[in-house]
Amino acid sequence: MKKTMILAAMSAVSLALFAKTSTPAGFTDDLAAAIEASKKSGKTVYGVFSGSDWCHWCKVLEKDYLSKKEFVDEASKSFELVYIDSPNDKTKLSEKAAKNNPDLVKKYRIRGFPTVKFIAADGSASDASRPRNGVAPKAYAESLAKEIKYRPLIDKHITPIKKELNAAMRDGYGKLFKIGDPFSKKTEEEQRAAYADVQKNLGELIAKMTEMRGKIAKVEVPAEIAHEKEELLKMLDGNLKGMKDGAAMTFEDAKKLDEARKSRRGKRKIK
């Protein structure tokens, strides 16, 4: 009996030690330990805030990059790698991560997933880029190393522009959200009035974003971070195209599109 109890206890300990967590190979789930390691290695912490079992883009990031040996090998040359997960299934976390991760999400003001951060030895953080345009895993790791190398230049020349741009977009979209869905109004007259209001505010937002684009295009930046400016302009061009497509839509076409969307939603509910 005593022998059986000892074996059972050993089995439980073994399962606890080797239980699989959501943390990708080559990463730690302990930010404090990663920061301590960074103080000794001189590397910056590359932190990934994820929702591994519910967030689509988190799954894509892990599948295409974080789980790839070529990414981990290259990124480890410049970074201490940490994975801060917020899954629905908490059994995927170590005991320490389950306790610490909710507080870390609040501390670093994570508003969406996945979010990637550069975290310094003093615990301060700045945004890191996610992979773009199907870049290869090793190339993404290399781009992160360049990004942290040129961070002072980026903060000086690019970050102020991004802040101004984001503030203008928040203001513009905030006005649109206040108007709400024009087609939720009861009468067609009310719908047309609300849609006209949407189009008016959308036109003002387009004018502001076009003005901002011209301003950004004229900003001179060092050659080392020219790609950051180009990526910002590409993002802005994509947003402007979507806005202009919406602004060009007539009331009748917009209403048909809205009805089609509601019909698809209804069919999904029936299923």
Side-chain angles (χ1 to χ4, degrees), residues 157-158 161 219-227 229:
H157 297 278
I158 301 295
I161 300 172
V219 172
E220 294 185 5
V221 300
E224 296 92 335
I225 60 168
H227 65 284
K229 174 182 168 180

Side-chain angles (χ1 to χ4, degrees), residues 15-265:
L15 286 172
L17 287 173
F18 296 103
K20 181 173 174 56
T21 69
S22 58
T23 306
F27 284 72
T28 178
D29 64 0
D30 188 340
L31 177 58
I35 288 175
E36 284 304 310
S38 77
K39 292 176 182 178
K40 296 176 182 177
S41 66
K43 300 176 184 178
T44 299
V45 173
Y46 170 74
V48 179
F49 291 81
S50 183
S52 64
D53 64 357
W54 59 267
C55 164
H56 170 73
W57 290 112
C58 299
K59 293 177 182 179
V60 171
L61 179 63
E62 181 173 351
K63 175 179 175 290
D64 293 347
Y65 295 94
L66 309 185
S67 63
K68 301 296 185 183
K69 185 176 185 298
E70 55 265 44
F71 170 78
V72 173
D73 287 350
E74 187 64 32
S76 296
K77 295 176 183 177
S78 304
F79 301 99
E80 302 293 344
L81 308 178
V82 64
Y83 190 76
I84 302 165
D85 198 12
S86 299
N88 286 328
D89 182 1
K90 304 306 179 188
T91 64
K92 293 185 175 183
L93 300 176
S94 68
E95 185 177 343
K96 183 175 286 188
K99 179 182 177 183
N100 293 339
N101 288 5
D103 291 335
L104 292 173
V105 168
K106 290 179 182 177
K107 176 181 178 179
Y108 290 105
R109 298 181 180 181
I110 305 303
R111 299 287 182 263
F113 297 89
T115 291
V116 289
K117 295 277 189 183
F118 293 133
I119 302 173
D122 63 0
S124 62
S126 58
D127 292 335
S129 297
R130 283 161 54 181
R132 300 186 182 102
N133 304 325
V135 64
K138 183 179 179 181
Y140 172 48
E142 290 171 340
S143 73
L144 289 170
K146 289 180 181 178
E147 188 174 344
I148 198 64
K149 179 180 179 181
Y150 296 122
R151 173 57 60 179
L153 288 175
I154 292 170
D155 286 344
K156 180 179 179 180
H157 297 278
I158 301 295
T159 301
I161 300 172
K162 283 186 175 180
K163 286 182 178 178
E164 187 178 353
L165 179 61
N166 289 336
M169 292 182 74
R170 279 197 303 271
D171 180 62
Y173 282 122
K175 291 177 181 177
L176 292 172
F177 288 142
K178 283 183 181 178
I179 298 169
D181 177 11
F183 303 107
S184 65
K185 309 296 182 183
K186 291 183 179 180
T187 68
E188 182 173 318
E189 183 180 358
E190 290 174 322
Q191 290 176 4
R192 285 185 178 275
Y195 189 71
D197 202 11
V198 166
Q199 293 297 82
K200 174 179 176 293
N201 280 276
L202 187 56
E204 291 174 356
L205 181 57
I206 290 170
K208 179 63 177 177
M209 292 300 100
T210 301
E211 178 188 340
M212 287 290 299
R213 195 205 182 284
K215 184 177 178 180
I216 294 168
K218 292 179 181 178
V219 172
E220 294 185 5
V221 300
E224 296 92 335
I225 60 168
H227 65 284
E228 291 283 338
K229 174 182 168 180
E230 293 306 314
E231 287 294 338
L232 185 58
L233 287 171
K234 284 180 184 178
M235 180 275 291
L236 185 50
D237 286 342
N239 285 340
L240 274 169
K241 183 181 184 306
M243 292 177 198
K244 289 176 180 178
D245 288 345
M249 194 172 292
T250 64
F251 172 83
E252 288 74 18
D253 288 341
K255 189 168 186 177
K256 287 179 183 177
L257 183 62
D258 181 71
E259 289 171 350
R261 286 172 179 164
K262 288 175 180 175
S263 176
R264 287 196 295 271
R265 287 195 206 109

